Amino acid sequence: MTQPGRLHPISIAIREMADIFSRMGFGVVQGPELETEHYNFDALNIPPDHPSRDMWDTFWVKTKEGEERTLLRTHTSPMQIRWLEKKGAPTRIIVPGKVFRNEATDMTHEAQFYQLEGLAIDTNITLAHLKGTLERFCKEYFGSDAKVRLRPSFFPFTEPSVEVDVWFPAQGKWLEVMGAGMVHPLVLENAGVDSTKYQGFAFGLGVERFVMIKYGIPDVRLFHSGDIRFNYAFDGPRRPGVGAPTEASGKTI
Ligand code: YSA
């Protein structure tokens, strides 16, 4: 007997996350997986010779002499620039999607995984809004007993920058789940936004790691193993329609 199909655990998680953020006033947009060097690095204040470029091992795409260099996006952050260029400020969006890194895999690292970017730009946004939004999101996604901590960090496109850890009960340890911070004024200017008037926060979370913590999944490589038993064994929520595209969502720019 054939079994009915069902959503992949990552699709379920993205819908659930989009549902939580849309209740906080965020729209949902999507962007290209094939990116230019400009949007993936330069416009995000990561110049060609900057050591932070080494943080991401990139899958470069072959281009002809004189053409702009392209790559498989290493994070969802390029959509900060694309969206602000197109829509300007104020704005509040999330961007779920696939990202790619040319790196060795282990229990918490895959070469292809999903991120969910968040961007909130307005007048008078502070780090307290970022902290409040992320804590509220984590408590909604994991439950009110979730343990969340913010640590100081560095990204060229945020100042100040933080990394967020969530307690992984099944493994009895903290797991890093996202990078975040206040959007660097240069990034706003690169996207044509007046940084003397507007400021805001941004974050990029690893979707698989959130699902691992919530359901006690021990290895990120299970998600893309193609083993159908993993999908069927997954005991996630099955609420049809949650996070389904709305009029303002799901647009690719
Ligand atoms: C930082 C500041 C911002 O204003 C906006 C976004 C960010 C995040 C930044 N773009 C970034 O990609 N940071 S990161 O390299 O630390 O990755 C973010 C999250 O993606 C990690 O915390 C982790 O949850 C997940 N991740 C990273 N590499 C991974 C991975 N998940 C699975 N496999 C990998 N190889």
Side-chain angles (χ1 to χ4, degrees), residues 148-196:
V148 182
R149 72 177 185 194
L150 272 62
R151 285 179 286 110
S153 187
F154 173 76
F155 297 99
F157 34 96
T158 43
E159 181 57 39
S161 307
V162 294
E163 277 180 319
V164 180
D165 300 332
V166 172
W167 183 251
F168 193 166
Q171 302 213 342
K173 64 177 189 192
W174 292 98
L175 185 61
E176 181 218 303
V177 293
M178 74 175 100
M182 299 302 291
V183 179
H184 198 294
L186 276 175
V187 170
L188 293 175
E189 296 293 338
N190 287 345
V193 173
D194 182 354
S195 65
T196 61

Side-chain angles (χ1 to χ4, degrees), residues 75 77 101 103 109-110 113 115 117 158 176-178 202 204:
H75 52 173
S77 300
R101 293 187 193 179
E103 63 182 3
H109 293 87
E110 258 288 14
F113 58 100
Q115 284 190 341
E117 191 83 6
T158 43
E176 181 218 303
V177 293
M178 74 175 100

Side-chain angles (χ1 to χ4, degrees), residues 4-5 7 15 25 43 51 104 114 134 138 146 172 176 183 190 204 215 217 236 249:
L7 289 173
R15 288 180 182 211
Y114 281 79
L134 295 181
C138 287
E176 181 218 303
V183 179
N190 287 345
Y215 299 103
I217 296 165
S249 75

Side-chain angles (χ1 to χ4, degrees), residues 6 12 215 233-238:
R6 59 171 302 167
I12 296 171
Y215 299 103
F234 180 82
D235 192 23
R238 300 188 68 176

Side-chain angles (χ1 to χ4, degrees), residues 23-35:
R23 279 188 274 115
M24 290 196 253
F26 288 77
V28 185
V29 297
Q30 289 184 310
E33 290 170 7
L34 185 63
E35 254 308 351

